[in-house]
Amino acid sequence: MPPSTSIPVTAQTFGSGSSGNALLIRAGDTVLLVDCGVGIRTLRGGLANHGLVLADIDAILVTHEHSDHIRTLPSLYRDDLPLIATGGTARAARLPRDTTEKVSVRTPVSVAGATVHALPVRHDASDPCGFHIEIAGARITVLTDLGTWQDHLADAVAASDLVLLEANYNDTMLRQGPYPAYLKRRVASNVGHLGNDACGLAIAPVARRTAEITWWLSHLSQTNNSPRQAEHDVREILHGADVDASITALPRRSAGPVWSFDPAVRPPRSFAPVATDDPGAQLGLPGFD
Ligand SMILES: [Zn+2]
Ligand SMILES: [Zn+2]
């Protein structure tokens, strides 16, 4: 077998949840960030563990305008730093026009050698999306802050090597927990967040198609969930469906595990984006994380 000439791809979160989100994706010299809602010191420290500094970031992908996803963005603006977002998110987050590239489900964006597809989701933001990112032969899908699972997401997820999927709450903990009734309704609504059971039900049919995906349960609620609970709930559903999958719940406030991937070990699977007429939620509701 010829020696591998592929570039290893690594990924790590520096926070996942309503206190702040940021995902580092690195392939050789290419450094991408998905969302930037963690503090600047956390971001600097996380990058330093990879031998990187802020100036090494080649592009930032922004899922939506809620503060836990964009809080630190203004500190990072540079004339040569592309920001990738949907048009609605760009407006709502007031991203600088001259460095923002619009992405939509019909119009993927190429940036720093990566191809970025937008995946529309339902959430109470202006034009929220997840991302499917192809980089150096690896495929990574990021889906947090979605009130409901939609079948159009399955193909992107199934074509991925790493998937970040929201597991925000345990149904009983949310129902019996301290949130006021209106907030419980919003979290559980179809423009709120994906609960553990819904997450498990989304994973099961995809994991049946392919066992090669690494699943990171993301954006866990501090009040209505725990890493152990999320993993338990999802595993119970997978067990009931008689499928196995590699799942890990991400820590909310600290760095998560490092994912390392060598694309040479298997040929990349293909993903053909399917345009959907569902624009996601455009309800103009006041944002919540
Ligand atoms: Zn959020
Ligand atoms: Zn949100």
Side-chain angles (χ1 to χ4, degrees):
M1 186 182 279
S4 165
T5 55
S6 62
I7 302 169
V9 180
T10 57
Q12 185 179 34
T13 52
F14 302 143
S16 182
S18 58
S19 302
N21 297 271
L23 169 69
L24 168 74
I25 299 171
R26 182 186 196 186
D29 292 336
T30 300
V31 178
L32 306 179
L33 206 60
V34 180
D35 286 334
C36 195
V38 300
I40 191 77
R41 285 175 55 188
T42 299
L43 180 61
R44 278 206 179 97
L47 291 171
N49 288 334
H50 293 265
L52 299 169
V53 296
L54 295 177
D56 291 322
I57 299 171
D58 291 304
I60 303 179
L61 287 51
V62 185
T63 59
H64 65 298
E65 70 273 21
H66 289 164
S67 64
D68 56 321
H69 299 261
I70 65 165
R71 187 178 293 126
T72 306
L73 260 189
S75 313
L76 306 179
Y77 291 161
R78 302 190 317 252
D79 289 346
D80 63 342
L81 179 62
L83 307 172
I84 314 298
T86 64
T89 294
R91 280 190 299 277
R94 297 186 179 155
L95 301 183
R97 285 186 187 191
D98 47 353
T99 54
T100 299
E101 279 197 66
K102 308 275 178 63
V103 66
S104 74
V105 68
R106 291 181 178 80
T107 317
V109 165
S110 294
V111 62
T115 303
V116 177
H117 302 265
L119 305 170
V121 295
R122 291 183 178 151
H123 188 55
D124 67 342
S126 296
D127 192 5
C129 73
F131 292 113
H132 179 78
I133 302 143
E134 305 168 25
I135 182 168
R139 291 161 183 261
I140 299 171
T141 295
V142 182
L143 288 166
T144 69
D145 300 70
L146 64 165
T148 188
W149 174 258
Q150 294 172 277
D151 287 340
H152 75 83
L153 303 170
D155 284 344
V157 167
S160 303
D161 305 296
L162 171 66
V163 177
L164 281 75
L165 183 60
E166 178 164 49
N168 185 259
Y169 61 90
N170 168 275
D171 288 336
T172 306
M173 289 174 75
L174 176 66
R175 202 168 50 245
Q176 298 180 354
Y179 277 13
Y182 82 92
L183 193 50
K184 291 180 181 181
R185 278 196 301 274
R186 291 174 76 184
V187 170
S189 79
N190 65 6
V191 292
H193 291 274
L194 205 64
N196 297 348
D197 289 354
C199 177
L201 289 170
I203 292 174
V206 179
R208 194 188 304 282
R209 285 162 64 183
T210 172
E212 296 172 16
I213 300 170
T214 298
W215 300 90
W216 283 352
L217 310 184
S218 308
H219 210 290
L220 274 61
S221 166
Q222 183 160 20
T223 306
N224 305 309
N225 212 355
S226 69
R228 181 182 287 193
Q229 185 70 53
E231 290 178 358
H232 169 271
D233 292 351
V234 170
R235 286 206 176 102
E236 199 163 71
I237 286 176
L238 297 179
H239 184 71
D242 200 23
V243 288
D244 202 14
S246 166
I247 60 163
T248 304
L250 295 179
R252 286 173 44 81
R253 291 175 176 273
S254 55
V258 176
W259 181 77
S260 298
F261 181 77
D262 183 349
V265 300
R266 67 128 189 81
R269 281 160 276 167
S270 63
F271 161 59
V274 178
T276 170
D277 290 330
D278 183 347
Q282 297 187 352
L283 305 181
L285 296 172
F288 77 114
D289 294 341

